[in-house]
Amino acid sequence: MASLNPQSQPTSSPARSAAGSRTWVRPLAASLLTVALGCAAGAAAADDSLPKLANKTPLRVGFAQTESNNPWRLAETKSFKDVAAKCGWHLVLTDANGSNSKQVSDIQNMIAQHVDLLVFPPREEKPLAPIVLQAKKAGIPVILVDRDVDQSVAKAGRDYITFIGSDFIDQGHRAADWLVKTTGGKAKIIELEGTTGASAANDRKKGFDDVIAKNPGMQIIASQSGDFARDTGRKVMETLLQAHPDVTAVYAHNDEMALGAIAAIKAAGKQPGKDIVVVTIDGTKGGMDAIAAGELGASVQSSPFFGALACDVAQRYAKGETIPTWVKVSDRFYDKSNVQANMQYGY
């Protein structure tokens, strides 16, 4: 979430439990509360030039998905499909199949169709920023979910309504804090990065790396993109294992790459969870199962359930209410101490 105004965040900070992990309220409830309160201390009033949204039903809403090759994206898309009828939306759905250019083309087609509202997760920050300006010029309001765009090109509250999503830097912090504590502050780490240029990858890397840099016994010995994909993560991990047989820990930017890394670790004759500790971000059912099995150490949840929240934001905006420039989603944290009790939140 590059260059987001920190004043758009909620002013209260989450409490820490005795174990050191953060205690969050339910993600949807917390975010709805954020909107309901209007983030009084930091909400940015919408610029007068922002396109208006008709307070009507049905509302034609374009949802331009980045890809559908993993459980996280499937859960995100399902959340919009599930809420459409309840929200009075006629959903126009596309899938970019992992292509920036196709996502841009998909959104341009929706603009040409004169949809009432655009909602989408930008696959990468820079390539998708200009399309936000195109939508604004066409008089179509935009809500960004999950990932943000380059704020130097398109700015929340001025060019689009808001960004709804997690604090990716904080997710990286939490993963690193857990790893430092678990390893006693000594580890040689391979980092599997997400899609190059994606705000989630940029910020999860920054959050993690900043904490590791403050711990001299922790060393990132290799860092490479696995494109948020399980098989790519596996292949990258296989190569890096050969180059760095002394690795003792892996930080993956999402569960899918972590599961790929676990497969590569097993194939190399090592035991994940013992020979090599693995920490990740997402909270998918597969990741939670791996924690329960002792192969994955921990996963910071990154909620994909944006449908109901996007509906609430859109309805409030249509009524003329002020929307904060960042509707922050609070995320749980899973490790062996609590994973069994939280299995219902996996997806």
Side-chain angles (χ1 to χ4, degrees), residues 247-291:
V247 60
T248 61
V250 172
Y251 166 52
H253 288 192
N254 77 336
D255 283 10
E256 285 294 285
M257 291 190 297
L259 294 173
I262 287 170
I265 292 167
K266 289 179 176 179
K270 296 178 181 286
Q271 190 170 354
K274 291 189 177 180
D275 299 324
I276 300 175
V277 179
V278 183
V279 64
T280 184
I281 297 169
D282 260 1
T284 63
K285 180 64 165 58
M288 295 172 80
D289 287 341
I291 293 173

mmCIF file of all heavy atoms in Angstrom, residues 247-291:
data_model
loop_
_atom_site.group_PDB
_atom_site.id
_atom_site.type_symbol
_atom_site.label_atom_id
_atom_site.label_comp_id
_atom_site.label_asym_id
_atom_site.label_seq_id
_atom_site.Cartn_x
_atom_site.Cartn_y
_atom_site.Cartn_z
ATOM 1 N N VAL A 247 20.253 -23.415 4.726
ATOM 2 C CA VAL A 247 19.050 -22.678 5.096
ATOM 3 C C VAL A 247 18.364 -23.337 6.290
ATOM 4 O O VAL A 247 18.293 -24.562 6.392
ATOM 5 C CB VAL A 247 18.072 -22.583 3.902
ATOM 6 C CG1 VAL A 247 17.649 -23.966 3.416
ATOM 7 C CG2 VAL A 247 16.835 -21.745 4.266
ATOM 8 N N THR A 248 17.864 -22.507 7.216
ATOM 9 C CA THR A 248 17.154 -23.034 8.385
ATOM 10 C C THR A 248 15.727 -22.510 8.509
ATOM 11 O O THR A 248 14.969 -22.965 9.362
ATOM 12 C CB THR A 248 17.905 -22.681 9.685
ATOM 13 O OG1 THR A 248 17.988 -21.253 9.821
ATOM 14 C CG2 THR A 248 19.305 -23.291 9.682
ATOM 15 N N ALA A 249 15.372 -21.538 7.646
ATOM 16 C CA ALA A 249 14.017 -20.978 7.725
ATOM 17 C C ALA A 249 13.572 -20.461 6.367
ATOM 18 O O ALA A 249 14.397 -20.058 5.536
ATOM 19 C CB ALA A 249 13.967 -19.846 8.752
ATOM 20 N N VAL A 250 12.258 -20.474 6.156
ATOM 21 C CA VAL A 250 11.663 -19.940 4.931
ATOM 22 C C VAL A 250 10.543 -18.976 5.310
ATOM 23 O O VAL A 250 9.712 -19.284 6.166
ATOM 24 C CB VAL A 250 11.082 -21.062 4.039
ATOM 25 C CG1 VAL A 250 10.288 -20.480 2.866
ATOM 26 C CG2 VAL A 250 12.197 -21.959 3.523
ATOM 27 N N TYR A 251 10.545 -17.825 4.669
ATOM 28 C CA TYR A 251 9.427 -16.882 4.764
ATOM 29 C C TYR A 251 8.812 -16.766 3.387
ATOM 30 O O TYR A 251 9.462 -16.309 2.441
ATOM 31 C CB TYR A 251 9.903 -15.511 5.250
ATOM 32 C CG TYR A 251 8.894 -14.395 5.055
ATOM 33 C CD1 TYR A 251 7.579 -14.513 5.501
ATOM 34 C CD2 TYR A 251 9.271 -13.199 4.424
ATOM 35 C CE1 TYR A 251 6.670 -13.469 5.320
ATOM 36 C CE2 TYR A 251 8.378 -12.157 4.244
ATOM 37 C CZ TYR A 251 7.076 -12.293 4.693
ATOM 38 O OH TYR A 251 6.169 -11.267 4.519
ATOM 39 N N ALA A 252 7.574 -17.206 3.238
ATOM 40 C CA ALA A 252 6.860 -17.119 1.966
ATOM 41 C C ALA A 252 5.783 -16.051 2.077
ATOM 42 O O ALA A 252 5.098 -15.952 3.098
ATOM 43 C CB ALA A 252 6.235 -18.464 1.615
ATOM 44 N N HIS A 253 5.604 -15.259 1.022
ATOM 45 C CA HIS A 253 4.630 -14.177 1.052
ATOM 46 C C HIS A 253 3.182 -14.663 0.997
ATOM 47 O O HIS A 253 2.273 -13.852 1.178
ATOM 48 C CB HIS A 253 4.884 -13.203 -0.099
ATOM 49 C CG HIS A 253 6.094 -12.351 0.080
ATOM 50 N ND1 HIS A 253 6.368 -11.257 -0.719
ATOM 51 C CD2 HIS A 253 7.125 -12.426 0.969
ATOM 52 C CE1 HIS A 253 7.514 -10.705 -0.328
ATOM 53 N NE2 HIS A 253 7.995 -11.397 0.690
ATOM 54 N N ASN A 254 2.966 -15.947 0.705
ATOM 55 C CA ASN A 254 1.604 -16.485 0.820
ATOM 56 C C ASN A 254 1.654 -17.992 1.056
ATOM 57 O O ASN A 254 2.688 -18.644 0.887
ATOM 58 C CB ASN A 254 0.738 -16.134 -0.407
ATOM 59 C CG ASN A 254 1.030 -16.978 -1.627
ATOM 60 O OD1 ASN A 254 2.116 -17.523 -1.771
ATOM 61 N ND2 ASN A 254 0.058 -17.084 -2.524
ATOM 62 N N ASP A 255 0.506 -18.543 1.456
ATOM 63 C CA ASP A 255 0.421 -19.961 1.790
ATOM 64 C C ASP A 255 0.750 -20.868 0.609
ATOM 65 O O ASP A 255 1.365 -21.921 0.776
ATOM 66 C CB ASP A 255 -0.995 -20.307 2.281
ATOM 67 C CG ASP A 255 -1.242 -19.857 3.710
ATOM 68 O OD1 ASP A 255 -0.411 -19.117 4.262
ATOM 69 O OD2 ASP A 255 -2.295 -20.229 4.279
ATOM 70 N N GLU A 256 0.316 -20.483 -0.571
ATOM 71 C CA GLU A 256 0.541 -21.332 -1.740
ATOM 72 C C GLU A 256 2.037 -21.553 -1.974
ATOM 73 O O GLU A 256 2.479 -22.675 -2.208
ATOM 74 C CB GLU A 256 -0.118 -20.725 -2.980
ATOM 75 C CG GLU A 256 -1.627 -20.875 -3.013
ATOM 76 C CD GLU A 256 -2.047 -22.331 -3.148
ATOM 77 O OE1 GLU A 256 -1.923 -22.893 -4.249
ATOM 78 O OE2 GLU A 256 -2.503 -22.903 -2.132
ATOM 79 N N MET A 257 2.826 -20.501 -1.923
ATOM 80 C CA MET A 257 4.273 -20.657 -2.091
ATOM 81 C C MET A 257 4.877 -21.425 -0.919
ATOM 82 O O MET A 257 5.811 -22.210 -1.109
ATOM 83 C CB MET A 257 4.954 -19.293 -2.234
ATOM 84 C CG MET A 257 4.643 -18.574 -3.527
ATOM 85 S SD MET A 257 5.687 -17.111 -3.777
ATOM 86 C CE MET A 257 5.191 -16.099 -2.382
ATOM 87 N N ALA A 258 4.335 -21.217 0.273
ATOM 88 C CA ALA A 258 4.828 -21.960 1.436
ATOM 89 C C ALA A 258 4.596 -23.452 1.266
ATOM 90 O O ALA A 258 5.473 -24.272 1.572
ATOM 91 C CB ALA A 258 4.140 -21.459 2.704
ATOM 92 N N LEU A 259 3.422 -23.820 0.756
ATOM 93 C CA LEU A 259 3.121 -25.233 0.534
ATOM 94 C C LEU A 259 4.017 -25.810 -0.556
ATOM 95 O O LEU A 259 4.446 -26.970 -0.482
ATOM 96 C CB LEU A 259 1.644 -25.404 0.184
ATOM 97 C CG LEU A 259 0.674 -25.051 1.325
ATOM 98 C CD1 LEU A 259 -0.772 -25.075 0.823
ATOM 99 C CD2 LEU A 259 0.840 -26.000 2.503
ATOM 100 N N GLY A 260 4.315 -25.011 -1.577
ATOM 101 C CA GLY A 260 5.272 -25.447 -2.595
ATOM 102 C C GLY A 260 6.661 -25.643 -2.008
ATOM 103 O O GLY A 260 7.365 -26.608 -2.331
ATOM 104 N N ALA A 261 7.057 -24.722 -1.117
ATOM 105 C CA ALA A 261 8.367 -24.823 -0.470
ATOM 106 C C ALA A 261 8.443 -26.066 0.405
ATOM 107 O O ALA A 261 9.479 -26.752 0.439
ATOM 108 C CB ALA A 261 8.633 -23.577 0.357
ATOM 109 N N ILE A 262 7.351 -26.371 1.093
ATOM 110 C CA ILE A 262 7.317 -27.567 1.943
ATOM 111 C C ILE A 262 7.520 -28.823 1.101
ATOM 112 O O ILE A 262 8.253 -29.741 1.483
ATOM 113 C CB ILE A 262 5.990 -27.619 2.735
ATOM 114 C CG1 ILE A 262 6.013 -26.572 3.852
ATOM 115 C CG2 ILE A 262 5.743 -29.012 3.306
ATOM 116 C CD1 ILE A 262 4.682 -26.368 4.552
ATOM 117 N N ALA A 263 6.888 -28.859 -0.068
ATOM 118 C CA ALA A 263 7.065 -30.002 -0.973
ATOM 119 C C ALA A 263 8.530 -30.122 -1.408
ATOM 120 O O ALA A 263 9.086 -31.224 -1.483
ATOM 121 C CB ALA A 263 6.148 -29.860 -2.181
ATOM 122 N N ALA A 264 9.159 -28.990 -1.712
ATOM 123 C CA ALA A 264 10.563 -29.000 -2.128
ATOM 124 C C ALA A 264 11.483 -29.434 -0.983
ATOM 125 O O ALA A 264 12.467 -30.164 -1.204
ATOM 126 C CB ALA A 264 10.965 -27.606 -2.619
ATOM 127 N N ILE A 265 11.169 -29.001 0.217
ATOM 128 C CA ILE A 265 11.964 -29.384 1.389
ATOM 129 C C ILE A 265 11.898 -30.894 1.599
ATOM 130 O O ILE A 265 12.917 -31.560 1.842
ATOM 131 C CB ILE A 265 11.470 -28.632 2.642
ATOM 132 C CG1 ILE A 265 11.781 -27.132 2.524
ATOM 133 C CG2 ILE A 265 12.101 -29.207 3.905
ATOM 134 C CD1 ILE A 265 11.074 -26.265 3.549
ATOM 135 N N LYS A 266 10.708 -31.456 1.478
ATOM 136 C CA LYS A 266 10.542 -32.906 1.618
ATOM 137 C C LYS A 266 11.311 -33.654 0.532
ATOM 138 O O LYS A 266 11.967 -34.674 0.790
ATOM 139 C CB LYS A 266 9.061 -33.277 1.550
ATOM 140 C CG LYS A 266 8.246 -32.861 2.759
ATOM 141 C CD LYS A 266 6.780 -33.281 2.536
ATOM 142 C CE LYS A 266 5.915 -32.987 3.721
ATOM 143 N NZ LYS A 266 4.500 -33.365 3.489
ATOM 144 N N ALA A 267 11.213 -33.144 -0.705
ATOM 145 C CA ALA A 267 11.900 -33.796 -1.827
ATOM 146 C C ALA A 267 13.413 -33.781 -1.645
ATOM 147 O O ALA A 267 14.119 -34.660 -2.165
ATOM 148 C CB ALA A 267 11.521 -33.107 -3.134
ATOM 149 N N ALA A 268 13.910 -32.795 -0.893
ATOM 150 C CA ALA A 268 15.351 -32.699 -0.647
ATOM 151 C C ALA A 268 15.785 -33.551 0.538
ATOM 152 O O ALA A 268 16.966 -33.537 0.928
ATOM 153 C CB ALA A 268 15.731 -31.241 -0.402
ATOM 154 N N GLY A 269 14.850 -34.299 1.118
ATOM 155 C CA GLY A 269 15.171 -35.182 2.226
ATOM 156 C C GLY A 269 15.245 -34.499 3.579
ATOM 157 O O GLY A 269 15.763 -35.048 4.546
ATOM 158 N N LYS A 270 14.711 -33.281 3.659
ATOM 159 C CA LYS A 270 14.689 -32.552 4.914
ATOM 160 C C LYS A 270 13.268 -32.529 5.473
ATOM 161 O O LYS A 270 12.298 -32.768 4.744
ATOM 162 C CB LYS A 270 15.205 -31.122 4.726
ATOM 163 C CG LYS A 270 16.668 -31.038 4.305
ATOM 164 C CD LYS A 270 17.102 -29.602 4.086
ATOM 165 C CE LYS A 270 18.551 -29.520 3.631
ATOM 166 N NZ LYS A 270 19.486 -29.792 4.731
ATOM 167 N N GLN A 271 13.138 -32.217 6.745
ATOM 168 C CA GLN A 271 11.835 -32.240 7.408
ATOM 169 C C GLN A 271 11.366 -30.814 7.688
ATOM 170 O O GLN A 271 11.943 -30.108 8.515
ATOM 171 C CB GLN A 271 11.903 -33.033 8.708
ATOM 172 C CG GLN A 271 10.535 -33.296 9.326
ATOM 173 C CD GLN A 271 10.615 -34.272 10.472
ATOM 174 O OE1 GLN A 271 11.660 -34.848 10.758
ATOM 175 N NE2 GLN A 271 9.489 -34.471 11.153
ATOM 176 N N PRO A 272 10.286 -30.376 6.999
ATOM 177 C CA PRO A 272 9.750 -29.040 7.278
ATOM 178 C C PRO A 272 9.188 -28.984 8.686
ATOM 179 O O PRO A 272 8.545 -29.910 9.159
ATOM 180 C CB PRO A 272 8.638 -28.885 6.230
ATOM 181 C CG PRO A 272 8.258 -30.284 5.846
ATOM 182 C CD PRO A 272 9.516 -31.099 5.977
ATOM 183 N N GLY A 273 9.470 -27.883 9.358
ATOM 184 C CA GLY A 273 9.014 -27.743 10.735
ATOM 185 C C GLY A 273 10.080 -28.118 11.734
ATOM 186 O O GLY A 273 10.018 -27.703 12.901
ATOM 187 N N LYS A 274 11.068 -28.875 11.313
ATOM 188 C CA LYS A 274 12.187 -29.273 12.196
ATOM 189 C C LYS A 274 13.513 -28.831 11.603
ATOM 190 O O LYS A 274 14.227 -28.015 12.174
ATOM 191 C CB LYS A 274 12.156 -30.777 12.442
ATOM 192 C CG LYS A 274 10.963 -31.224 13.290
ATOM 193 C CD LYS A 274 11.072 -32.675 13.701
ATOM 194 C CE LYS A 274 9.906 -33.068 14.618
ATOM 195 N NZ LYS A 274 9.983 -34.486 15.050
ATOM 196 N N ASP A 275 13.872 -29.389 10.448
ATOM 197 C CA ASP A 275 15.119 -28.967 9.802
ATOM 198 C C ASP A 275 15.014 -27.524 9.288
ATOM 199 O O ASP A 275 15.982 -26.758 9.362
ATOM 200 C CB ASP A 275 15.458 -29.890 8.633
ATOM 201 C CG ASP A 275 15.674 -31.325 9.071
ATOM 202 O OD1 ASP A 275 16.227 -31.529 10.169
ATOM 203 O OD2 ASP A 275 15.275 -32.252 8.335
ATOM 204 N N ILE A 276 13.854 -27.204 8.752
ATOM 205 C CA ILE A 276 13.619 -25.868 8.201
ATOM 206 C C ILE A 276 12.256 -25.380 8.695
ATOM 207 O O ILE A 276 11.227 -26.011 8.449
ATOM 208 C CB ILE A 276 13.654 -25.867 6.661
ATOM 209 C CG1 ILE A 276 15.022 -26.355 6.156
ATOM 210 C CG2 ILE A 276 13.358 -24.478 6.115
ATOM 211 C CD1 ILE A 276 15.111 -26.494 4.638
ATOM 212 N N VAL A 277 12.256 -24.240 9.386
ATOM 213 C CA VAL A 277 11.022 -23.633 9.888
ATOM 214 C C VAL A 277 10.413 -22.768 8.784
ATOM 215 O O VAL A 277 11.124 -22.043 8.087
ATOM 216 C CB VAL A 277 11.316 -22.767 11.132
ATOM 217 C CG1 VAL A 277 10.038 -22.106 11.636
ATOM 218 C CG2 VAL A 277 11.948 -23.605 12.223
ATOM 219 N N VAL A 278 9.081 -22.847 8.615
ATOM 220 C CA VAL A 278 8.400 -22.103 7.554
ATOM 221 C C VAL A 278 7.330 -21.202 8.166
ATOM 222 O O VAL A 278 6.519 -21.645 8.987
ATOM 223 C CB VAL A 278 7.747 -23.052 6.526
ATOM 224 C CG1 VAL A 278 7.116 -22.249 5.382
ATOM 225 C CG2 VAL A 278 8.776 -24.050 5.983
ATOM 226 N N VAL A 279 7.318 -19.935 7.759
ATOM 227 C CA VAL A 279 6.284 -18.983 8.170
ATOM 228 C C VAL A 279 5.741 -18.294 6.932
ATOM 229 O O VAL A 279 6.475 -18.093 5.948
ATOM 230 C CB VAL A 279 6.841 -17.951 9.180
ATOM 231 C CG1 VAL A 279 7.925 -17.085 8.560
ATOM 232 C CG2 VAL A 279 5.722 -17.075 9.745
ATOM 233 N N THR A 280 4.456 -17.929 6.956
ATOM 234 C CA THR A 280 3.822 -17.419 5.744
ATOM 235 C C THR A 280 2.668 -16.487 6.080
ATOM 236 O O THR A 280 2.431 -16.146 7.243
ATOM 237 C CB THR A 280 3.352 -18.598 4.863
ATOM 238 O OG1 THR A 280 2.815 -18.105 3.640
ATOM 239 C CG2 THR A 280 2.281 -19.409 5.573
ATOM 240 N N ILE A 281 1.940 -16.104 5.039
ATOM 241 C CA ILE A 281 0.793 -15.188 5.173
ATOM 242 C C ILE A 281 -0.359 -15.681 4.299
ATOM 243 O O ILE A 281 -0.132 -16.049 3.153
ATOM 244 C CB ILE A 281 1.177 -13.757 4.735
ATOM 245 C CG1 ILE A 281 2.269 -13.194 5.656
ATOM 246 C CG2 ILE A 281 -0.034 -12.823 4.735
ATOM 247 C CD1 ILE A 281 2.904 -11.911 5.158
ATOM 248 N N ASP A 282 -1.548 -15.734 4.814
ATOM 249 C CA ASP A 282 -2.808 -15.960 4.097
ATOM 250 C C ASP A 282 -3.886 -16.567 4.983
ATOM 251 O O ASP A 282 -4.975 -16.040 5.075
ATOM 252 C CB ASP A 282 -2.652 -16.840 2.851
ATOM 253 C CG ASP A 282 -2.602 -16.018 1.571
ATOM 254 O OD1 ASP A 282 -2.675 -14.784 1.662
ATOM 255 O OD2 ASP A 282 -2.467 -16.608 0.491
ATOM 256 N N GLY A 283 -3.588 -17.735 5.590
ATOM 257 C CA GLY A 283 -4.601 -18.392 6.399
ATOM 258 C C GLY A 283 -5.566 -19.232 5.596
ATOM 259 O O GLY A 283 -6.751 -19.332 5.937
ATOM 260 N N THR A 284 -5.089 -19.880 4.518
ATOM 261 C CA THR A 284 -5.942 -20.770 3.740
ATOM 262 C C THR A 284 -6.137 -22.085 4.495
ATOM 263 O O THR A 284 -5.405 -22.405 5.434
ATOM 264 C CB THR A 284 -5.313 -21.092 2.373
ATOM 265 O OG1 THR A 284 -4.078 -21.784 2.579
ATOM 266 C CG2 THR A 284 -5.046 -19.823 1.571
ATOM 267 N N LYS A 285 -7.120 -22.861 4.047
ATOM 268 C CA LYS A 285 -7.371 -24.166 4.669
ATOM 269 C C LYS A 285 -6.128 -25.055 4.536
ATOM 270 O O LYS A 285 -5.747 -25.755 5.488
ATOM 271 C CB LYS A 285 -8.571 -24.828 3.997
ATOM 272 C CG LYS A 285 -8.943 -26.200 4.559
ATOM 273 C CD LYS A 285 -9.391 -26.136 5.995
ATOM 274 C CE LYS A 285 -10.097 -27.410 6.449
ATOM 275 N NZ LYS A 285 -9.279 -28.628 6.311
ATOM 276 N N GLY A 286 -5.486 -25.038 3.362
ATOM 277 C CA GLY A 286 -4.284 -25.840 3.155
ATOM 278 C C GLY A 286 -3.164 -25.429 4.083
ATOM 279 O O GLY A 286 -2.437 -26.275 4.625
ATOM 280 N N GLY A 287 -2.991 -24.123 4.294
ATOM 281 C CA GLY A 287 -1.972 -23.648 5.199
ATOM 282 C C GLY A 287 -2.261 -24.045 6.637
ATOM 283 O O GLY A 287 -1.365 -24.460 7.375
ATOM 284 N N MET A 288 -3.527 -23.935 7.034
ATOM 285 C CA MET A 288 -3.902 -24.290 8.400
ATOM 286 C C MET A 288 -3.740 -25.792 8.645
ATOM 287 O O MET A 288 -3.321 -26.213 9.724
ATOM 288 C CB MET A 288 -5.328 -23.821 8.682
ATOM 289 C CG MET A 288 -5.444 -22.295 8.655
ATOM 290 S SD MET A 288 -7.130 -21.672 8.748
ATOM 291 C CE MET A 288 -7.421 -21.813 10.526
ATOM 292 N N ASP A 289 -4.049 -26.598 7.640
ATOM 293 C CA ASP A 289 -3.825 -28.047 7.757
ATOM 294 C C ASP A 289 -2.337 -28.346 7.934
ATOM 295 O O ASP A 289 -1.954 -29.246 8.701
ATOM 296 C CB ASP A 289 -4.352 -28.771 6.521
ATOM 297 C CG ASP A 289 -5.876 -28.835 6.471
ATOM 298 O OD1 ASP A 289 -6.517 -28.655 7.527
ATOM 299 O OD2 ASP A 289 -6.422 -29.074 5.371
ATOM 300 N N ALA A 290 -1.479 -27.595 7.211
ATOM 301 C CA ALA A 290 -0.036 -27.807 7.316
ATOM 302 C C ALA A 290 0.486 -27.403 8.694
ATOM 303 O O ALA A 290 1.419 -28.015 9.218
ATOM 304 C CB ALA A 290 0.691 -27.019 6.224
ATOM 305 N N ILE A 291 -0.118 -26.371 9.298
ATOM 306 C CA ILE A 291 0.252 -25.995 10.666
ATOM 307 C C ILE A 291 -0.130 -27.116 11.624
ATOM 308 O O ILE A 291 0.665 -27.518 12.486
ATOM 309 C CB ILE A 291 -0.439 -24.676 11.084
ATOM 310 C CG1 ILE A 291 0.090 -23.496 10.260
ATOM 311 C CG2 ILE A 291 -0.219 -24.407 12.576
ATOM 312 C CD1 ILE A 291 -0.653 -22.194 10.487
#
